[in-house]
Amino acid sequence: MAVLKRPDLFAAAVIDSGIVNPTRLAAGINGANQFAEMGDPATADGFAALAAQDSTLLLPQVAGGPDFLFTVGFNDARVSPWMSAKLVAAMRAHWGATHLALVRADGQAGHVAGTTREQEIEQRADTFAFLLNRFGQMGFVK
């Protein structure tokens, strides 16, 4: 994740349905379908490719970062919501209260398909509110 590799370039980050723990891709509902694109964790080359992009593995090497908002839908059949929750828990354990790490979860939403227009609007409103707050916009208390 670019944000963890160069945290100095970011004031805040929003990760929407992110595959942030790809070395555990096979444990996901749709994981095996993504091996061709991302790498197969059962092969040495595939695991190395996944490890190079795994934010959970990268995190211990990162002294600090921006504030994060992760958005997930519990009906997401493409990206497992637990990946974002796991990374947020690791961020909180690693950084304590020095950096904000939040999960915005919708129990009825999916990953594009299965998400209503109203759910999408609500998620975008929360995302913009988070960013406006983090950037110190007047009217959005930081």
Side-chain angles (χ1 to χ4, degrees):
M1 176 188 303
V3 181
L4 292 179
K5 290 185 178 184
R6 288 295 310 271
D8 57 306
L9 298 178
F10 299 88
V14 177
I15 312 302
D16 189 14
S17 299
I19 299 176
V20 294
N21 189 202
T23 54
R24 300 281 297 137
L25 197 59
I29 298 168
N30 196 37
N33 291 334
Q34 299 180 46
F35 290 170
E37 177 184 350
M38 299 187 70
D40 183 345
T43 68
D45 288 342
F47 186 83
L50 294 170
Q53 56 186 311
D54 194 314
S55 298
T56 305
L57 297 178
L58 179 61
L59 182 64
Q61 304 163 32
V62 181
D67 295 330
F68 284 86
L69 172 65
F70 292 82
T71 64
V72 298
F74 287 164
N75 290 330
D76 189 340
R78 295 176 58 199
V79 179
S80 299
W82 58 260
M83 285 192 187
S84 293
K86 178 180 174 180
L87 181 56
V88 166
M91 287 175 162
R92 289 180 178 180
H94 184 62
W95 290 329
T98 60
H99 299 283
L100 191 60
L102 303 172
V103 175
R104 186 214 184 267
D106 188 324
Q108 303 300 315
H111 184 129
V112 182
T115 300
T116 67
R117 180 175 171 84
E118 183 177 322
Q119 289 168 319
E120 182 67 24
I121 291 168
E122 289 172 358
Q123 178 181 325
R124 294 295 164 228
D126 290 346
T127 297
F128 286 125
F130 170 78
L131 291 171
L132 290 168
N133 174 268
R134 295 294 85 198
F135 297 145
Q137 178 65 34
M138 215 163 31
F140 292 83
V141 179
K142 185 170 182 180

